[in-house]
């Protein structure tokens, strides 16, 4: 079983990698010239396209293994995910506009360790999205959860923060607990003041 088949088998949706015409229309709506993008995909369904972020969606770009853990949490315990693509060893999680600005600030505020460096693409950024057709080569960009409607549900920064924290906890060794508090000083003198005379 190839990596692509295994990844797709773990996702809880049927036809997860197939973009519907409605999903293609939603993706194209982010482009400056949506009809030209749709015409390109009609002529070459497998062609990747560069789309701007910030209006229809933002993208959170994480390492593939960590992204897999996030997806497992989102689908296993959470509300699911929006569209997700795999490109060059990274996962692109599509999110609500504004997430690219808020998520890094929330993670910094929470001071979570164990979250790998990731990129957030928002207003002024662009990302390469896979084509509409499933690629034949396993290393080619592909959809893991493809857009299938004109108004897909997109997670916000709070949902992705929750998934990041859970994924970081899963990745931590069993003998190390993740906490937002600094480790206790092992040489500190502790006095029992619960029994006073």
């Amino acid at each position: 079983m190839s990596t692509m088949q295994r990844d797709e088998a773990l996702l809880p949706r049927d036809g997860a990698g197939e973009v519907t015409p409605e999903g293609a229309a939603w993706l194209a709506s982010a482009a400056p010239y949506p009809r030209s993008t749709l015409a390109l995909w009609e002529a070459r369904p497998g062609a990747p396209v560069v789309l701007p972020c910030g209006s229809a969606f933002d993208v959170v770009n994480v390492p593939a293994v960590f992204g897999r853990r996030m997806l497992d949490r989102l689908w296993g315990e959470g509300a699911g995910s929006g569209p997700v693509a795999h490109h060059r060893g990274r996962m692109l999680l599509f999110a609500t506009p504004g997430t690219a600005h808020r998520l890094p600030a929330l993670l910094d505020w929470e001071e979570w360790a164990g979250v790998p460096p990731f990129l957030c693409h928002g207003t002024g950024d662009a990302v390469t999205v896979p084509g509409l057709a499933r690629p034949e080569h396993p290393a080619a960009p592909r959809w893991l959860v493809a857009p299938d409607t004109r108004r897909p549900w997109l997670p916000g920064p709070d949902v992705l923060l929750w998934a990041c924290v859970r994924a970081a906890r899963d990745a931590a060794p069993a003998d190390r607990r993740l906490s937002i508090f600094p480790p206790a000083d092992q040489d500190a003198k502790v006095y029992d003041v619960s029994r006073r005379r």
Side-chain angles (χ1 to χ4, degrees):
M1 178 182 279
S2 73
T3 305
M4 180 173 84
Q5 291 168 331
R6 187 197 56 191
D7 284 348
E8 290 176 358
L10 293 173
L11 290 172
R13 292 174 53 174
D14 293 332
E18 298 178 15
V19 180
T20 64
E22 293 82 12
W26 173 73
L27 281 171
S29 73
Y33 303 102
R35 287 191 290 187
S36 298
T37 302
L38 289 171
L40 170 67
W41 274 331
E42 189 174 316
R44 296 181 50 217
V49 175
V50 176
L51 294 176
C53 299
S55 61
F57 54 79
D58 280 1
V59 173
V60 178
N61 182 336
V62 298
V65 173
F66 190 77
R68 177 80 246 167
R69 288 189 189 113
M70 287 178 66
L71 278 181
D72 289 345
R73 286 298 182 194
L74 286 168
W75 283 103
E77 300 172 17
S81 71
V84 179
H86 186 268
H87 184 65
R88 295 187 179 183
R90 313 248 331 154
M91 279 200 191
L92 308 176
L93 290 91
F94 286 66
T96 58
T99 299
H101 177 71
R102 292 276 300 142
L103 183 59
L106 288 171
L107 281 168
D108 285 346
W109 182 73
E110 291 283 347
E111 297 179 359
W112 281 102
V115 175
F118 57 85
L119 304 169
C120 290
H121 307 285
T123 304
D125 297 326
V127 294
T128 301
V129 301
L132 307 182
R134 285 179 183 254
E136 292 183 13
H137 191 277
R142 66 188 180 279
W143 290 102
L144 297 177
V145 179
D148 58 2
T149 178
R150 286 184 185 269
R151 300 183 70 87
W153 179 81
L154 297 172
D158 53 341
V159 172
L160 291 176
L161 173 68
W162 174 87
C164 281
V165 169
R166 297 306 185 283
R169 283 183 183 161
D170 289 347
D175 62 339
R176 187 173 68 106
R177 200 177 125 234
L178 290 177
S179 174
I180 61 172
F181 301 106
D185 183 4
Q186 299 300 323
D187 296 326
K189 296 190 187 318
V190 179
Y191 300 99
D192 183 5
V193 295
S194 62
R195 295 183 178 185
R196 294 185 180 210
R197 294 185 190 184

mmCIF file with all atom_site columns, all heavy atoms in Angstrom, residues 58 96-109 118 120 156-158 161:
data_model
loop_
_atom_site.group_PDB
_atom_site.id
_atom_site.type_symbol
_atom_site.label_atom_id
_atom_site.label_alt_id
_atom_site.label_comp_id
_atom_site.label_asym_id
_atom_site.label_entity_id
_atom_site.label_seq_id
_atom_site.pdbx_PDB_ins_code
_atom_site.Cartn_x
_atom_site.Cartn_y
_atom_site.Cartn_z
_atom_site.occupancy
_atom_site.B_iso_or_equiv
_atom_site.pdbx_formal_charge
_atom_site.auth_seq_id
_atom_site.auth_comp_id
_atom_site.auth_asym_id
_atom_site.auth_atom_id
_atom_site.pdbx_PDB_model_num
ATOM 1   N N   . ASP A 1 58  ? -7.661  31.079 4.236  1.00 0.00 ? 58  ASP A N   1
ATOM 2   C CA  . ASP A 1 58  ? -6.252  31.144 4.629  1.00 0.00 ? 58  ASP A CA  1
ATOM 3   C C   . ASP A 1 58  ? -5.758  29.703 4.618  1.00 0.00 ? 58  ASP A C   1
ATOM 4   O O   . ASP A 1 58  ? -6.560  28.763 4.593  1.00 0.00 ? 58  ASP A O   1
ATOM 5   C CB  . ASP A 1 58  ? -6.080  31.724 6.038  1.00 0.00 ? 58  ASP A CB  1
ATOM 6   C CG  . ASP A 1 58  ? -6.171  33.246 6.065  1.00 0.00 ? 58  ASP A CG  1
ATOM 7   O OD1 . ASP A 1 58  ? -6.385  33.859 4.992  1.00 0.00 ? 58  ASP A OD1 1
ATOM 8   O OD2 . ASP A 1 58  ? -6.056  33.823 7.158  1.00 0.00 ? 58  ASP A OD2 1
ATOM 9   N N   . THR A 1 96  ? -10.485 29.499 7.838  1.00 0.00 ? 96  THR A N   1
ATOM 10  C CA  . THR A 1 96  ? -11.224 30.743 7.617  1.00 0.00 ? 96  THR A CA  1
ATOM 11  C C   . THR A 1 96  ? -10.254 31.903 7.416  1.00 0.00 ? 96  THR A C   1
ATOM 12  O O   . THR A 1 96  ? -9.156  31.910 7.987  1.00 0.00 ? 96  THR A O   1
ATOM 13  C CB  . THR A 1 96  ? -12.144 31.076 8.812  1.00 0.00 ? 96  THR A CB  1
ATOM 14  O OG1 . THR A 1 96  ? -11.346 31.178 9.986  1.00 0.00 ? 96  THR A OG1 1
ATOM 15  C CG2 . THR A 1 96  ? -13.206 30.040 8.990  1.00 0.00 ? 96  THR A CG2 1
ATOM 16  N N   . PRO A 1 97  ? -10.638 32.886 6.607  1.00 0.00 ? 97  PRO A N   1
ATOM 17  C CA  . PRO A 1 97  ? -9.790  34.077 6.464  1.00 0.00 ? 97  PRO A CA  1
ATOM 18  C C   . PRO A 1 97  ? -9.558  34.719 7.829  1.00 0.00 ? 97  PRO A C   1
ATOM 19  O O   . PRO A 1 97  ? -10.462 34.797 8.664  1.00 0.00 ? 97  PRO A O   1
ATOM 20  C CB  . PRO A 1 97  ? -10.607 34.991 5.538  1.00 0.00 ? 97  PRO A CB  1
ATOM 21  C CG  . PRO A 1 97  ? -11.472 34.048 4.751  1.00 0.00 ? 97  PRO A CG  1
ATOM 22  C CD  . PRO A 1 97  ? -11.809 32.940 5.715  1.00 0.00 ? 97  PRO A CD  1
ATOM 23  N N   . GLY A 1 98  ? -8.338  35.143 8.073  1.00 0.00 ? 98  GLY A N   1
ATOM 24  C CA  . GLY A 1 98  ? -7.960  35.730 9.350  1.00 0.00 ? 98  GLY A CA  1
ATOM 25  C C   . GLY A 1 98  ? -7.200  34.762 10.242 1.00 0.00 ? 98  GLY A C   1
ATOM 26  O O   . GLY A 1 98  ? -6.531  35.174 11.186 1.00 0.00 ? 98  GLY A O   1
ATOM 27  N N   . THR A 1 99  ? -7.279  33.474 9.958  1.00 0.00 ? 99  THR A N   1
ATOM 28  C CA  . THR A 1 99  ? -6.588  32.463 10.768 1.00 0.00 ? 99  THR A CA  1
ATOM 29  C C   . THR A 1 99  ? -5.076  32.646 10.714 1.00 0.00 ? 99  THR A C   1
ATOM 30  O O   . THR A 1 99  ? -4.394  32.456 11.718 1.00 0.00 ? 99  THR A O   1
ATOM 31  C CB  . THR A 1 99  ? -6.977  31.046 10.294 1.00 0.00 ? 99  THR A CB  1
ATOM 32  O OG1 . THR A 1 99  ? -8.385  30.884 10.467 1.00 0.00 ? 99  THR A OG1 1
ATOM 33  C CG2 . THR A 1 99  ? -6.247  29.973 11.072 1.00 0.00 ? 99  THR A CG2 1
ATOM 34  N N   . ALA A 1 100 ? -4.543  33.019 9.560  1.00 0.00 ? 100 ALA A N   1
ATOM 35  C CA  . ALA A 1 100 ? -3.095  33.175 9.410  1.00 0.00 ? 100 ALA A CA  1
ATOM 36  C C   . ALA A 1 100 ? -2.540  34.235 10.363 1.00 0.00 ? 100 ALA A C   1
ATOM 37  O O   . ALA A 1 100 ? -1.397  34.146 10.806 1.00 0.00 ? 100 ALA A O   1
ATOM 38  C CB  . ALA A 1 100 ? -2.739  33.549 7.974  1.00 0.00 ? 100 ALA A CB  1
ATOM 39  N N   . HIS A 1 101 ? -3.349  35.209 10.690 1.00 0.00 ? 101 HIS A N   1
ATOM 40  C CA  . HIS A 1 101 ? -2.920  36.267 11.609 1.00 0.00 ? 101 HIS A CA  1
ATOM 41  C C   . HIS A 1 101 ? -3.105  35.845 13.065 1.00 0.00 ? 101 HIS A C   1
ATOM 42  O O   . HIS A 1 101 ? -2.246  36.096 13.912 1.00 0.00 ? 101 HIS A O   1
ATOM 43  C CB  . HIS A 1 101 ? -3.715  37.536 11.311 1.00 0.00 ? 101 HIS A CB  1
ATOM 44  C CG  . HIS A 1 101 ? -3.408  38.665 12.237 1.00 0.00 ? 101 HIS A CG  1
ATOM 45  N ND1 . HIS A 1 101 ? -2.216  39.347 12.198 1.00 0.00 ? 101 HIS A ND1 1
ATOM 46  C CD2 . HIS A 1 101 ? -4.134  39.212 13.243 1.00 0.00 ? 101 HIS A CD2 1
ATOM 47  C CE1 . HIS A 1 101 ? -2.222  40.270 13.144 1.00 0.00 ? 101 HIS A CE1 1
ATOM 48  N NE2 . HIS A 1 101 ? -3.363  40.213 13.795 1.00 0.00 ? 101 HIS A NE2 1
ATOM 49  N N   . ARG A 1 102 ? -4.212  35.174 13.374 1.00 0.00 ? 102 ARG A N   1
ATOM 50  C CA  . ARG A 1 102 ? -4.552  34.848 14.767 1.00 0.00 ? 102 ARG A CA  1
ATOM 51  C C   . ARG A 1 102 ? -3.849  33.622 15.333 1.00 0.00 ? 102 ARG A C   1
ATOM 52  O O   . ARG A 1 102 ? -3.472  33.605 16.490 1.00 0.00 ? 102 ARG A O   1
ATOM 53  C CB  . ARG A 1 102 ? -6.066  34.634 14.889 1.00 0.00 ? 102 ARG A CB  1
ATOM 54  C CG  . ARG A 1 102 ? -6.892  35.856 14.701 1.00 0.00 ? 102 ARG A CG  1
ATOM 55  C CD  . ARG A 1 102 ? -7.043  36.681 15.951 1.00 0.00 ? 102 ARG A CD  1
ATOM 56  N NE  . ARG A 1 102 ? -7.667  35.889 16.992 1.00 0.00 ? 102 ARG A NE  1
ATOM 57  C CZ  . ARG A 1 102 ? -7.316  35.963 18.266 1.00 0.00 ? 102 ARG A CZ  1
ATOM 58  N NH1 . ARG A 1 102 ? -6.359  36.761 18.645 1.00 0.00 ? 102 ARG A NH1 1
ATOM 59  N NH2 . ARG A 1 102 ? -7.919  35.226 19.184 1.00 0.00 ? 102 ARG A NH2 1
ATOM 60  N N   . LEU A 1 103 ? -3.709  32.555 14.533 1.00 0.00 ? 103 LEU A N   1
ATOM 61  C CA  . LEU A 1 103 ? -3.189  31.295 15.063 1.00 0.00 ? 103 LEU A CA  1
ATOM 62  C C   . LEU A 1 103 ? -1.783  31.423 15.647 1.00 0.00 ? 103 LEU A C   1
ATOM 63  O O   . LEU A 1 103 ? -1.549  30.967 16.778 1.00 0.00 ? 103 LEU A O   1
ATOM 64  C CB  . LEU A 1 103 ? -3.242  30.197 13.999 1.00 0.00 ? 103 LEU A CB  1
ATOM 65  C CG  . LEU A 1 103 ? -2.799  28.810 14.462 1.00 0.00 ? 103 LEU A CG  1
ATOM 66  C CD1 . LEU A 1 103 ? -3.648  28.308 15.622 1.00 0.00 ? 103 LEU A CD1 1
ATOM 67  C CD2 . LEU A 1 103 ? -2.853  27.828 13.305 1.00 0.00 ? 103 LEU A CD2 1
ATOM 68  N N   . PRO A 1 104 ? -0.816  32.047 14.953 1.00 0.00 ? 104 PRO A N   1
ATOM 69  C CA  . PRO A 1 104 ? 0.509   32.176 15.571 1.00 0.00 ? 104 PRO A CA  1
ATOM 70  C C   . PRO A 1 104 ? 0.471   32.965 16.877 1.00 0.00 ? 104 PRO A C   1
ATOM 71  O O   . PRO A 1 104 ? 1.178   32.635 17.835 1.00 0.00 ? 104 PRO A O   1
ATOM 72  C CB  . PRO A 1 104 ? 1.338   32.903 14.507 1.00 0.00 ? 104 PRO A CB  1
ATOM 73  C CG  . PRO A 1 104 ? 0.642   32.628 13.229 1.00 0.00 ? 104 PRO A CG  1
ATOM 74  C CD  . PRO A 1 104 ? -0.819  32.546 13.573 1.00 0.00 ? 104 PRO A CD  1
ATOM 75  N N   . ALA A 1 105 ? -0.366  33.993 16.941 1.00 0.00 ? 105 ALA A N   1
ATOM 76  C CA  . ALA A 1 105 ? -0.475  34.783 18.175 1.00 0.00 ? 105 ALA A CA  1
ATOM 77  C C   . ALA A 1 105 ? -1.047  33.942 19.308 1.00 0.00 ? 105 ALA A C   1
ATOM 78  O O   . ALA A 1 105 ? -0.585  34.017 20.454 1.00 0.00 ? 105 ALA A O   1
ATOM 79  C CB  . ALA A 1 105 ? -1.354  36.014 17.928 1.00 0.00 ? 105 ALA A CB  1
ATOM 80  N N   . LEU A 1 106 ? -2.044  33.108 19.009 1.00 0.00 ? 106 LEU A N   1
ATOM 81  C CA  . LEU A 1 106 ? -2.618  32.240 20.035 1.00 0.00 ? 106 LEU A CA  1
ATOM 82  C C   . LEU A 1 106 ? -1.602  31.205 20.524 1.00 0.00 ? 106 LEU A C   1
ATOM 83  O O   . LEU A 1 106 ? -1.504  30.945 21.718 1.00 0.00 ? 106 LEU A O   1
ATOM 84  C CB  . LEU A 1 106 ? -3.861  31.518 19.492 1.00 0.00 ? 106 LEU A CB  1
ATOM 85  C CG  . LEU A 1 106 ? -5.095  32.387 19.290 1.00 0.00 ? 106 LEU A CG  1
ATOM 86  C CD1 . LEU A 1 106 ? -6.177  31.600 18.549 1.00 0.00 ? 106 LEU A CD1 1
ATOM 87  C CD2 . LEU A 1 106 ? -5.622  32.901 20.618 1.00 0.00 ? 106 LEU A CD2 1
ATOM 88  N N   . LEU A 1 107 ? -0.845  30.631 19.615 1.00 0.00 ? 107 LEU A N   1
ATOM 89  C CA  . LEU A 1 107 ? 0.174   29.656 20.015 1.00 0.00 ? 107 LEU A CA  1
ATOM 90  C C   . LEU A 1 107 ? 1.273   30.305 20.845 1.00 0.00 ? 107 LEU A C   1
ATOM 91  O O   . LEU A 1 107 ? 1.753   29.722 21.818 1.00 0.00 ? 107 LEU A O   1
ATOM 92  C CB  . LEU A 1 107 ? 0.767   28.958 18.801 1.00 0.00 ? 107 LEU A CB  1
ATOM 93  C CG  . LEU A 1 107 ? -0.090  27.840 18.226 1.00 0.00 ? 107 LEU A CG  1
ATOM 94  C CD1 . LEU A 1 107 ? 0.443   27.408 16.871 1.00 0.00 ? 107 LEU A CD1 1
ATOM 95  C CD2 . LEU A 1 107 ? -0.145  26.656 19.172 1.00 0.00 ? 107 LEU A CD2 1
ATOM 96  N N   . ASP A 1 108 ? 1.677   31.523 20.481 1.00 0.00 ? 108 ASP A N   1
ATOM 97  C CA  . ASP A 1 108 ? 2.684   32.244 21.281 1.00 0.00 ? 108 ASP A CA  1
ATOM 98  C C   . ASP A 1 108 ? 2.143   32.551 22.664 1.00 0.00 ? 108 ASP A C   1
ATOM 99  O O   . ASP A 1 108 ? 2.845   32.422 23.664 1.00 0.00 ? 108 ASP A O   1
ATOM 100 C CB  . ASP A 1 108 ? 3.088   33.549 20.592 1.00 0.00 ? 108 ASP A CB  1
ATOM 101 C CG  . ASP A 1 108 ? 4.006   33.316 19.414 1.00 0.00 ? 108 ASP A CG  1
ATOM 102 O OD1 . ASP A 1 108 ? 4.547   32.198 19.286 1.00 0.00 ? 108 ASP A OD1 1
ATOM 103 O OD2 . ASP A 1 108 ? 4.190   34.250 18.613 1.00 0.00 ? 108 ASP A OD2 1
ATOM 104 N N   . TRP A 1 109 ? 0.897   32.948 22.742 1.00 0.00 ? 109 TRP A N   1
ATOM 105 C CA  . TRP A 1 109 ? 0.300   33.289 24.024 1.00 0.00 ? 109 TRP A CA  1
ATOM 106 C C   . TRP A 1 109 ? 0.194   32.059 24.913 1.00 0.00 ? 109 TRP A C   1
ATOM 107 O O   . TRP A 1 109 ? 0.439   32.113 26.107 1.00 0.00 ? 109 TRP A O   1
ATOM 108 C CB  . TRP A 1 109 ? -1.074  33.915 23.789 1.00 0.00 ? 109 TRP A CB  1
ATOM 109 C CG  . TRP A 1 109 ? -1.750  34.346 25.041 1.00 0.00 ? 109 TRP A CG  1
ATOM 110 C CD1 . TRP A 1 109 ? -1.435  35.417 25.819 1.00 0.00 ? 109 TRP A CD1 1
ATOM 111 C CD2 . TRP A 1 109 ? -2.868  33.714 25.670 1.00 0.00 ? 109 TRP A CD2 1
ATOM 112 N NE1 . TRP A 1 109 ? -2.286  35.491 26.891 1.00 0.00 ? 109 TRP A NE1 1
ATOM 113 C CE2 . TRP A 1 109 ? -3.178  34.450 26.820 1.00 0.00 ? 109 TRP A CE2 1
ATOM 114 C CE3 . TRP A 1 109 ? -3.633  32.602 25.356 1.00 0.00 ? 109 TRP A CE3 1
ATOM 115 C CZ2 . TRP A 1 109 ? -4.215  34.111 27.666 1.00 0.00 ? 109 TRP A CZ2 1
ATOM 116 C CZ3 . TRP A 1 109 ? -4.668  32.267 26.194 1.00 0.00 ? 109 TRP A CZ3 1
ATOM 117 C CH2 . TRP A 1 109 ? -4.945  33.023 27.338 1.00 0.00 ? 109 TRP A CH2 1
ATOM 118 N N   . PHE A 1 118 ? 5.577   26.211 11.657 1.00 0.00 ? 118 PHE A N   1
ATOM 119 C CA  . PHE A 1 118 ? 4.717   26.097 10.492 1.00 0.00 ? 118 PHE A CA  1
ATOM 120 C C   . PHE A 1 118 ? 4.491   27.461 9.898  1.00 0.00 ? 118 PHE A C   1
ATOM 121 O O   . PHE A 1 118 ? 4.829   28.482 10.494 1.00 0.00 ? 118 PHE A O   1
ATOM 122 C CB  . PHE A 1 118 ? 3.400   25.381 10.824 1.00 0.00 ? 118 PHE A CB  1
ATOM 123 C CG  . PHE A 1 118 ? 2.599   26.010 11.929 1.00 0.00 ? 118 PHE A CG  1
ATOM 124 C CD1 . PHE A 1 118 ? 1.723   27.043 11.669 1.00 0.00 ? 118 PHE A CD1 1
ATOM 125 C CD2 . PHE A 1 118 ? 2.726   25.545 13.220 1.00 0.00 ? 118 PHE A CD2 1
ATOM 126 C CE1 . PHE A 1 118 ? 0.989   27.613 12.683 1.00 0.00 ? 118 PHE A CE1 1
ATOM 127 C CE2 . PHE A 1 118 ? 1.985   26.101 14.238 1.00 0.00 ? 118 PHE A CE2 1
ATOM 128 C CZ  . PHE A 1 118 ? 1.118   27.145 13.971 1.00 0.00 ? 118 PHE A CZ  1
ATOM 129 N N   . CYS A 1 120 ? 1.828   30.225 8.063  1.00 0.00 ? 120 CYS A N   1
ATOM 130 C CA  . CYS A 1 120 ? 0.437   30.623 7.903  1.00 0.00 ? 120 CYS A CA  1
ATOM 131 C C   . CYS A 1 120 ? 0.364   31.588 6.722  1.00 0.00 ? 120 CYS A C   1
ATOM 132 O O   . CYS A 1 120 ? 1.068   32.593 6.696  1.00 0.00 ? 120 CYS A O   1
ATOM 133 C CB  . CYS A 1 120 ? -0.079  31.297 9.171  1.00 0.00 ? 120 CYS A CB  1
ATOM 134 S SG  . CYS A 1 120 ? -0.278  30.171 10.545 1.00 0.00 ? 120 CYS A SG  1
ATOM 135 N N   . GLY A 1 156 ? -11.572 27.604 12.156 1.00 0.00 ? 156 GLY A N   1
ATOM 136 C CA  . GLY A 1 156 ? -10.986 28.886 12.536 1.00 0.00 ? 156 GLY A CA  1
ATOM 137 C C   . GLY A 1 156 ? -9.749  28.670 13.386 1.00 0.00 ? 156 GLY A C   1
ATOM 138 O O   . GLY A 1 156 ? -9.327  27.538 13.637 1.00 0.00 ? 156 GLY A O   1
ATOM 139 N N   . PRO A 1 157 ? -9.150  29.766 13.874 1.00 0.00 ? 157 PRO A N   1
ATOM 140 C CA  . PRO A 1 157 ? -7.923  29.639 14.659 1.00 0.00 ? 157 PRO A CA  1
ATOM 141 C C   . PRO A 1 157 ? -8.118  28.872 15.960 1.00 0.00 ? 157 PRO A C   1
ATOM 142 O O   . PRO A 1 157 ? -7.220  28.150 16.391 1.00 0.00 ? 157 PRO A O   1
ATOM 143 C CB  . PRO A 1 157 ? -7.495  31.085 14.921 1.00 0.00 ? 157 PRO A CB  1
ATOM 144 C CG  . PRO A 1 157 ? -8.690  31.914 14.641 1.00 0.00 ? 157 PRO A CG  1
ATOM 145 C CD  . PRO A 1 157 ? -9.544  31.158 13.681 1.00 0.00 ? 157 PRO A CD  1
ATOM 146 N N   . ASP A 1 158 ? -9.305  28.979 16.568 1.00 0.00 ? 158 ASP A N   1
ATOM 147 C CA  . ASP A 1 158 ? -9.540  28.262 17.826 1.00 0.00 ? 158 ASP A CA  1
ATOM 148 C C   . ASP A 1 158 ? -9.556  26.750 17.621 1.00 0.00 ? 158 ASP A C   1
ATOM 149 O O   . ASP A 1 158 ? -8.989  25.998 18.414 1.00 0.00 ? 158 ASP A O   1
ATOM 150 C CB  . ASP A 1 158 ? -10.843 28.730 18.470 1.00 0.00 ? 158 ASP A CB  1
ATOM 151 C CG  . ASP A 1 158 ? -12.037 28.665 17.528 1.00 0.00 ? 158 ASP A CG  1
ATOM 152 O OD1 . ASP A 1 158 ? -11.830 28.606 16.292 1.00 0.00 ? 158 ASP A OD1 1
ATOM 153 O OD2 . ASP A 1 158 ? -13.182 28.672 18.014 1.00 0.00 ? 158 ASP A OD2 1
ATOM 154 N N   . LEU A 1 161 ? -5.967  25.674 16.837 1.00 0.00 ? 161 LEU A N   1
ATOM 155 C CA  . LEU A 1 161 ? -5.164  25.719 18.065 1.00 0.00 ? 161 LEU A CA  1
ATOM 156 C C   . LEU A 1 161 ? -5.411  24.454 18.878 1.00 0.00 ? 161 LEU A C   1
ATOM 157 O O   . LEU A 1 161 ? -4.469  23.813 19.346 1.00 0.00 ? 161 LEU A O   1
ATOM 158 C CB  . LEU A 1 161 ? -5.518  26.956 18.895 1.00 0.00 ? 161 LEU A CB  1
ATOM 159 C CG  . LEU A 1 161 ? -4.865  27.030 20.281 1.00 0.00 ? 161 LEU A CG  1
ATOM 160 C CD1 . LEU A 1 161 ? -3.369  27.233 20.153 1.00 0.00 ? 161 LEU A CD1 1
ATOM 161 C CD2 . LEU A 1 161 ? -5.489  28.150 21.097 1.00 0.00 ? 161 LEU A CD2 1
#
